Amino acid sequence: MGLTVRVERRIAEDFPGRDGEVVGDLLTELVNHLTDRGDREDKERIAAATLLCGQGRVDRLLDAVQLAKEDWRDVLVGAGLADAGWRERLEADFGPAAPAG
């Protein structure tokens, strides 16, 4: 699975230039790692949470990626995407999801 359009757009906003390419690769690798482990949680949500925890800084993002690989639930909590209103928070920070289909 690749990254969604809205996650890619946020990467470009938070990490312009070459950093954005590196961040995109790291988050794609994370999503693939989670898929390989068989975690069934929404991959976009985890990638978005990791990106939020990065706060526009590569060093923080690297820490968040490592944390997500160890236990993705901690990243969801840290980004405020663990509770019932996570979909609304995701839309507020990343914009609406692309239509299904």
Side-chain angles (χ1 to χ4, degrees), residues 21-91:
E21 293 175 34
V22 172
V23 167
D25 290 344
L26 286 169
L27 291 178
T28 298
E29 178 187 322
L30 171 63
V31 167
N32 291 334
H33 170 79
L34 295 170
T35 301
D36 292 344
R37 288 183 38 197
D39 291 335
R40 295 185 180 177
E41 187 60 35
D42 181 18
K43 306 304 186 270
E44 180 191 42
R45 181 179 174 194
I46 297 168
T50 305
L51 188 55
L52 288 172
C53 287
Q55 300 176 347
R57 291 183 40 191
V58 173
D59 59 332
R60 288 183 188 223
L61 185 100
L62 290 171
D63 290 342
V65 167
Q66 185 59 40
L67 181 61
K69 286 182 178 180
E70 292 169 11
D71 191 341
W72 49 262
R73 295 168 295 187
D74 291 335
V75 173
L76 294 182
V77 170
L81 296 177
D83 296 323
W86 71 266
R87 284 183 179 85
E88 292 79 13
R89 168 85 198 272
L90 190 65
E91 285 212 6

